Amino acid sequence: MKQGLIRILIWLGIMSILTVFAMVAWMMIWGGTQTTDSLKWLQFLQTIATFLLPPILCAWLWDEEHKPFRWLRMDVPVQWKEMLLAIVIMVCAVPGINLLADLNSRVELPKSLEFIEQILKSQEEAAAALTERFLQADNIGGLLVNIGLMALLPALSEESAFRGTLQQIIYKDQSGKVQSTKVHLAVWITAFVFSAIHMQFYGFVPRMLLGAMFGYVFVWSGSLWIPITMHFVNNGLAVVTYYLSAGNEDTKNIADTLGAGDTWYFGVLSLLITSLGLLIFYRRTHKQ
């Protein structure tokens, strides 16, 4: 317990220092301008400094032979059937995520907390507006940049930070062995932090459940590449869908709301199929 707390503090310390360096670098290069290109560079630098480099540095420190990718479980080979199954599960889960997001967005705080609700909603609207600015792309080059910035980099960085680092710190003992009694606790604490760090109250529940799914497939497969791939597919689908539906609001709305509202039955079916897929994934990896 003590060692885990020390490691979390070390991780947070390195994260804080590198995040400050990233902000300073951005200010020196872009002068704090709020153009889309400037903000994209800020996100790029912050993602690397906050989520990617700290896990690698910590894993290098904590591995006996200073092999960070071994500590992060990125050296574990993955069978193509498991990877394909994970991708299918992620694609099938999208309508279910939309349903949960729709239900989460309907949450209303008591009248006494109305001012907090207004703040939360304004934050959501600001985040959505910024995301839409980032997603604007007129050509394939812009699409590839967005896939790299909003799908590949977050998947690699956030999974290294949350599943690869925080989750493992919680459920591993001093010798590096997984403590089975702490697995569920580690998965859900990490999923909670993963969702909270995004600072989006009205998407908190689906993002937490998504984080839990990534956590469990990591535990079952033993390889960080499985949750990284699923995270990439989830984000990548959103980026590509937005690009393909540019100028067509009806198509965009269908992609964002399939499984919610009047199409709630697609969401329910999605959740059932996703649960079945996860059960199959668990049994397959458990046998191995």
Side-chain angles (χ1 to χ4, degrees), residues 104-125 201-202:
N104 196 165
S105 68
R106 298 171 186 265
V107 174
E108 294 185 1
L109 297 179
K111 285 290 184 181
S112 59
L113 300 176
E114 187 175 358
F115 71 101
I116 295 180
E117 186 174 22
Q118 293 301 321
I119 293 173
L120 293 173
K121 287 184 176 180
S122 64
Q123 288 179 339
E124 293 278 333
E125 292 170 359
F201 174 77
Y202 292 100

Side-chain angles (χ1 to χ4, degrees), residues 92-219:
C92 291
V94 172
I97 294 171
N98 289 341
L99 173 61
L100 294 172
D102 180 51
L103 295 174
N104 196 165
S105 68
R106 298 171 186 265
V107 174
E108 294 185 1
L109 297 179
K111 285 290 184 181
S112 59
L113 300 176
E114 187 175 358
F115 71 101
I116 295 180
E117 186 174 22
Q118 293 301 321
I119 293 173
L120 293 173
K121 287 184 176 180
S122 64
Q123 288 179 339
E124 293 278 333
E125 292 170 359
L130 182 60
T131 299
E132 189 153 351
R133 283 177 63 183
F134 280 11
L135 286 171
Q136 298 293 335
D138 299 327
N139 50 54
I140 295 296
L143 172 63
L144 294 177
V145 169
N146 285 344
I147 290 175
L149 180 64
M150 305 181 74
L152 180 59
L153 186 59
L156 185 62
S157 303
E158 293 178 12
E159 292 311 308
S160 296
F162 294 105
R163 259 57 66 179
T165 302
L166 180 58
Q167 183 170 305
Q168 290 203 95
I169 289 175
I170 296 173
Y171 67 46
K172 281 187 175 180
D173 60 20
Q174 293 185 1
S175 64
K177 293 182 179 179
V178 175
Q179 302 176 78
S180 58
T181 56
K182 293 185 177 180
V183 168
H184 297 296
L185 180 66
V187 167
W188 286 101
I189 288 178
T190 303
F192 180 88
V193 175
F194 168 70
S195 186
I197 206 74
H198 286 81
M199 300 294 289
Q200 291 180 315
F201 174 77
Y202 292 100
F204 183 86
V205 172
R207 188 174 285 109
M208 182 178 69
L209 294 176
L210 197 62
M213 180 169 69
F214 294 158
Y216 279 115
V217 296
F218 175 46
V219 172

Side-chain angles (χ1 to χ4, degrees), residues 25-285:
W26 176 71
M27 289 294 295
M28 291 177 63
I29 298 172
W30 289 95
T33 58
Q34 300 296 304
T35 63
T36 302
D37 287 343
S38 172
L39 293 175
K40 280 187 174 183
W41 272 105
L42 174 61
Q43 178 162 322
F44 174 77
L45 293 172
Q46 281 190 324
T47 301
I48 290 179
T50 306
F51 297 117
L52 184 59
L53 290 181
I56 293 176
L57 291 174
C58 288
W60 182 84
L61 288 172
W62 298 334
D63 186 83
E64 294 180 355
E65 299 179 11
H66 300 300
K67 294 180 178 181
F69 298 111
R70 181 176 69 176
W71 197 92
L72 290 169
R73 308 294 291 170
M74 297 176 76
D75 65 337
V76 179
V78 180
Q79 294 187 15
W80 70 268
K81 290 182 179 179
E82 292 176 7
M83 183 65 78
L84 180 60
L85 178 58
I87 293 172
V88 171
I89 291 172
M90 189 66 256
V91 173
C92 291
V94 172
I97 294 171
N98 289 341
L99 173 61
L100 294 172
D102 180 51
L103 295 174
N104 196 165
S105 68
R106 298 171 186 265
V107 174
E108 294 185 1
L109 297 179
K111 285 290 184 181
S112 59
L113 300 176
E114 187 175 358
F115 71 101
I116 295 180
E117 186 174 22
Q118 293 301 321
I119 293 173
L120 293 173
K121 287 184 176 180
S122 64
Q123 288 179 339
E124 293 278 333
E125 292 170 359
L130 182 60
T131 299
E132 189 153 351
R133 283 177 63 183
F134 280 11
L135 286 171
Q136 298 293 335
D138 299 327
N139 50 54
I140 295 296
L143 172 63
L144 294 177
V145 169
N146 285 344
I147 290 175
L149 180 64
M150 305 181 74
L152 180 59
L153 186 59
L156 185 62
S157 303
E158 293 178 12
E159 292 311 308
S160 296
F162 294 105
R163 259 57 66 179
T165 302
L166 180 58
Q167 183 170 305
Q168 290 203 95
I169 289 175
I170 296 173
Y171 67 46
K172 281 187 175 180
D173 60 20
Q174 293 185 1
S175 64
K177 293 182 179 179
V178 175
Q179 302 176 78
S180 58
T181 56
K182 293 185 177 180
V183 168
H184 297 296
L185 180 66
V187 167
W188 286 101
I189 288 178
T190 303
F192 180 88
V193 175
F194 168 70
S195 186
I197 206 74
H198 286 81
M199 300 294 289
Q200 291 180 315
F201 174 77
Y202 292 100
F204 183 86
V205 172
R207 188 174 285 109
M208 182 178 69
L209 294 176
L210 197 62
M213 180 169 69
F214 294 158
Y216 279 115
V217 296
F218 175 46
V219 172
W220 298 336
S221 68
S223 173
L224 192 62
W225 289 111
I226 295 289
I228 287 175
T229 302
M230 295 179 76
H231 196 145
F232 170 73
V233 169
N234 179 61
N235 290 18
L237 283 173
V239 173
V240 173
T241 299
Y242 187 94
Y243 176 79
L244 295 176
S245 63
N248 190 329
E249 289 298 324
D250 291 337
T251 303
K252 191 184 303 182
N253 289 334
I254 290 174
D256 291 338
T257 61
L258 180 64
D262 293 337
T263 59
W264 60 268
Y265 44 87
F266 282 115
V268 173
L269 181 61
S270 166
L271 293 175
L272 292 174
I273 294 174
T274 302
S275 300
L276 178 60
L278 289 172
L279 178 61
I280 294 172
F281 187 92
Y282 167 75
R283 288 183 173 178
R284 177 177 176 82
T285 54

